[in-house]
Amino acid sequence: MLFFLIAVGLSIILGVMNIVNLSHGTFFMLGGYISFSLLNGKVSFWLAIVVSVIAMAIFGVIVERFLLKNSYGKELEQVLLTFGLAFMLADGVKWIWGTDLHMLPTPALLDTSIPMGNVAFPVYRLFVVLVGAVIAIFLWYMETRTRIGSMIRAGVDDREMVSALGIKVNLLFSGVFAFGAGLAGLSGVLGGPIIGMYPGMDSDILVTSLIVVVIGGLGSWKGSFVSAILVGLIETLGKVWFPALSMVIIFLLMIAVLMIKPSGLFGRRNVI
Amino acid sequence: MRSASKSVWTILGIALFVALPFMVSSYGVLLTTEIFIMAIFAMSLGYLMGYAGLVSLGHAAFFGIGAYTIALAGDHIANTYVLILLAVVFSGLIAWISGSLFIRTSAFYFLMITLAFGQLLYALVWQLKPITGGADGKKVSAVMDFGFGPIVDPNMMYVVTGILFLLSYLFLRKLASSPAGKVIKGVMENENRMKSLGYNIRTYKLLAYTLSGMLAGLAGALYAYYNVFVSPDLIIWLFSGQVLIMVIVGGVGTLIGPAVGAGFFLILQNYMSSYTERWPMIMGIIFITFVLLRKGGIVNLLALLGKKRSGGEADSLDREQKEAVR
């Protein structure tokens, strides 16, 4: 489910807005580190989540406004800009927070486990799954049932036409990018107690979530949803059965999917 | 007039190449050697990007394959010719196999799939610890020897890499102007037109990808000899990204641009890291500025300046070497 949260943020930015964002993993990492600092300052976990998400959303707006505004439709430029950003920020994170591994503490309220048969299932993970499900429902509602959802879909299909209708596409797109960045920040905080934070995690996260998005298909958060569950399952099972080769299996899955359906499982069309 | 100035530049370049070891410290010679190696690597990616329109974020995979071939096979085979040939052929083979799977995808998927492929190899090297040494890396036991005695002296290494750099450059130039190279360029510029002219565009893209992979493998092989040590860091996608930076900063769409970029990157890295640990930050800012300026890389900027001043363009091969001295 954590994969889903990360991947869905990426998929929104990538699929809905056609922006190739290589700094998504960095957003994730920043979200985690910001809440780490907040928690060290004795702020409660819940407040830390809110602050980190808002901070990442604001950061997303800044990035979109100043860096990516003029690069719509130019994928190579986006790749380069966001890679440069990731390169810089990774160094900035090392600068500010050092290179040690940090773990976020699990919030006390959720730090128990439910016995299920003969295994104990930690409540915190259940909570993460729940958050993922809520966001999936929210997205579904936004996309199909609200005016904003249809405006965004229209804006992606024909930007000029929509802005001619008097809709502020620029503002709308900044908002969507901020939402995606905020989701990355959220998953960074939620992932903190499970996978921790370390330098280099941004690329681990980025690669995995890109694979999730590619398997799921661009422009479809539903695809990301299905493929995140698939990748998560395979990775967990793979780690049990062939510990050395879990990455290889996921990669083979991706190749197989792309061979059969070149635009991913649920790809709308070949957007990029 | 132009050919005369060209030969003057060539002579100057050769003179500089010979004189350099006497002019700079032994550290400078080592750095220049590394620049030559990275320049070969950057040119291989630059060719792929600027002449075939394929942007790869996993090119370090082939560099790594080349380097690890020397490190692993070097324990059993001593002959340098055989080893380097093996490294080049092996990376070419992997490029051919992986490329034939990847090339059918669109630009964005190609980028992602090469990235994932690079990370896959990275994970493999990391996890096959008994063979590859895992995260600790592996010492290279083979010593470079072209039949004139072992090459251990840094100055000799400098000469060898310099010559191979020049050969790689000439090879790419020949390739770019060959009929096949022109078709590759045509495919980049207008795929549908080339298709309707009857060319099998996939074959030509695959050709470019394979040759580029082989060249990257050569660079990796040289690096293994130069560094006497290989580690998974040679495969990680951040390294692929660094090379991408070199190519962009140097200038896409030219052959020499990526080489200039490699020189610029390494010199800046060495220069800055003696003052501040924050060089990736500064490099990132420079890189983003170059992309935002949209004027192309260093080579394009210099060409613009040159055009303004004299209306002619100079051979930029020498410029790279001058840059190396600075």
Side-chain angles (χ1 to χ4, degrees):
Chain A
M1 259 324 195
L2 193 61
F3 280 150
F4 165 66
L5 279 180
I6 310 159
V8 84
L10 185 66
S11 181
I12 286 172
I13 290 179
L14 221 153
V16 179
M17 302 174 67
N18 284 358
I19 291 185
V20 184
N21 182 11
L22 289 186
S23 51
H24 201 72
T26 315
F27 290 174
F28 175 95
M29 180 165 75
L30 272 178
Y33 272 112
I34 289 174
S35 60
F36 171 75
S37 288
L38 288 173
L39 287 174
N40 270 1
K42 297 281 176 284
V43 179
S44 84
F45 188 79
W46 311 106
L47 188 63
I49 288 187
V50 175
V51 174
S52 314
V53 170
I54 292 175
M56 286 327 293
I58 292 172
F59 189 67
V61 172
I62 295 173
V63 169
E64 202 266 349
R65 285 274 101 166
F66 290 98
L67 216 52
L68 298 171
K69 200 174 63 182
N70 294 321
S71 70
Y72 285 101
K74 296 177 208 130
E75 287 87 33
L76 180 60
E77 205 165 283
Q78 294 163 358
V79 168
L80 299 174
L81 287 173
T82 52
F83 176 75
L85 187 68
F87 197 73
M88 272 167 61
L89 288 181
D91 193 49
V93 165
K94 266 187 213 162
W95 193 1
I96 301 172
W97 284 285
T99 51
D100 298 334
L101 170 76
H102 297 298
M103 272 303 203
L104 289 182
T106 311
L109 185 64
L110 301 171
D111 200 7
T112 50
S113 27
I114 303 171
M116 277 173 153
N118 42 12
V119 282
F121 200 85
V123 171
Y124 184 72
R125 286 181 188 242
L126 222 55
F127 168 71
V128 174
V129 170
L130 196 72
V131 174
V134 168
I135 288 187
I137 293 168
F138 174 72
L139 284 175
W140 168 81
Y141 181 78
M142 284 295 278
E143 190 190 6
T144 53
R145 294 283 186 274
T146 64
R147 209 180 139 72
I148 292 183
S150 51
M151 272 165 21
I152 292 170
R153 276 180 293 152
V156 173
D157 286 340
D158 195 335
R159 206 185 155 96
E160 276 174 27
M161 195 63 213
V162 173
S163 66
L165 290 173
I167 294 167
K168 292 200 171 56
V169 183
N170 287 341
L171 208 66
L172 199 64
F173 271 44
S174 295
V176 178
F177 194 88
F179 185 67
L183 272 185
L186 174 67
S187 32
V189 188
L190 290 178
I194 300 176
I195 45 181
M197 278 130 21
Y198 49 92
M201 81 179 299
D202 47 346
S203 33
D204 294 353
I205 294 287
L206 177 69
V207 171
T208 323
S209 52
L210 281 174
I211 292 179
V212 168
V213 170
V214 166
I215 292 178
L218 289 178
S220 153
W221 61 267
K222 294 174 207 114
S224 303
F225 187 75
V226 175
S227 99
I229 294 174
L230 202 65
V231 168
L233 270 177
I234 289 176
E235 209 198 10
T236 318
L237 292 180
K239 268 187 185 142
V240 178
W241 289 333
F242 326 93
L245 295 175
S246 61
M247 182 87 188
V248 180
I249 298 170
I250 293 176
F251 183 75
L252 290 179
L253 177 76
M254 175 167 116
I255 300 236
V257 167
L258 284 186
M259 290 299 102
I260 301 163
K261 285 200 75 173
S263 52
L265 286 178
F266 293 82
R268 285 203 305 174
R269 66 209 135 113
N270 231 342
V271 253
I272 300 178
Chain B
M1 165 66 198
R2 219 177 128 192
S3 71
S5 80
K6 201 164 186 177
S7 57
V8 168
W9 279 112
T10 315
I11 292 167
L12 264 179
I14 293 169
L16 192 64
F17 180 67
V18 175
L20 186 83
F22 303 103
M23 285 153 59
V24 297
S25 64
S26 59
Y27 179 71
V29 173
L30 279 177
L31 181 63
T32 317
T33 309
E34 195 175 342
I35 289 175
F36 281 139
I37 296 171
M38 286 306 156
I40 297 176
F41 185 26
M43 280 195 305
S44 75
L45 181 65
Y47 177 77
L48 195 63
M49 285 171 66
Y51 290 76
L54 294 168
V55 184
S56 161
L57 250 181
H59 217 53
F62 305 115
F63 188 87
I65 290 171
Y68 268 92
T69 307
I70 301 290
L72 297 176
D75 289 347
H76 311 288
I77 307 166
N79 191 315
T80 305
Y81 290 104
V82 175
L83 272 179
I84 291 188
L85 194 69
L86 211 61
V88 171
V89 168
F90 193 48
S91 39
L93 191 69
I94 302 280
W96 184 68
I97 295 171
S98 63
S100 55
L101 288 172
F102 300 164
I103 267 161
R104 35 187 293 168
T105 57
S106 65
F108 166 74
Y109 280 106
F110 183 76
L111 198 88
M112 294 303 111
I113 207 166
T114 48
L115 173 81
F117 178 67
Q119 283 306 98
L120 171 84
L121 273 185
Y122 174 71
L124 271 181
V125 168
W126 186 282
Q127 282 162 346
L128 295 177
K129 198 170 164 74
I131 308 169
T132 59
D136 302 334
K138 191 178 182 317
K139 212 172 159 352
V140 178
S141 58
V143 175
M144 202 184 258
D145 185 350
F146 288 100
F148 320 106
I151 296 173
V152 280
D153 181 46
N155 287 342
M156 286 302 289
M157 193 64 123
Y158 161 81
V159 172
V160 169
T161 51
I163 290 170
L164 281 171
F165 163 71
L166 192 66
L167 288 179
S168 308
Y169 171 73
L170 292 176
F171 168 75
L172 282 178
R173 206 167 72 169
K174 196 90 191 153
L175 175 67
S177 60
S178 72
K182 284 187 175 139
V183 175
I184 292 172
K185 189 129 200 230
V187 170
M188 173 177 90
E189 273 154 14
N190 193 334
E191 207 168 292
N192 289 333
R193 173 177 271 172
M194 293 315 274
K195 208 188 261 173
S196 51
L197 282 173
Y199 291 105
N200 185 345
I201 53 166
R202 241 179 236 171
T203 312
Y204 283 98
K205 277 187 180 177
L206 188 57
L207 177 71
Y209 190 64
T210 308
L211 288 175
S212 166
M214 288 167 85
L215 209 55
L218 171 70
L222 288 177
Y223 190 78
Y225 278 122
Y226 161 79
N227 202 34
V228 217
F229 179 75
V230 291
S231 74
D233 284 348
L234 300 181
I235 310 178
I236 195 166
W237 80 283
L238 283 173
F239 186 48
S240 304
Q242 277 182 15
V243 178
L244 194 69
I245 293 184
M246 293 175 194
V247 173
I248 299 289
V249 169
V252 191
T254 58
L255 281 179
I256 204 67
V260 176
F264 178 76
F265 188 96
L266 285 174
I267 290 167
L268 207 65
Q269 179 183 8
N270 273 277
Y271 183 72
M272 283 196 303
S273 56
S274 58
Y275 290 97
T276 163
E277 273 178 46
R278 299 275 77 90
W279 73 265
M281 186 86 97
I282 299 166
M283 199 67 220
I285 293 171
I286 293 176
F287 173 65
I288 289 184
T289 316
F290 264 103
V291 179
L292 283 178
L293 276 178
R294 289 189 197 158
K295 289 272 194 294
I298 297 174
V299 169
N300 309 63
L301 287 179
L302 288 178
L304 272 180
L305 279 179
K307 242 176 226 156
K308 258 181 210 154
R309 213 180 296 153
S310 64
E313 50 180 287
D315 188 355
S316 35
L317 175 63
D318 307 90
R319 211 172 275 142
E320 196 268 337
Q321 287 177 338
K322 257 193 257 152
E323 194 125 81
V325 183
R326 260 182 229 138

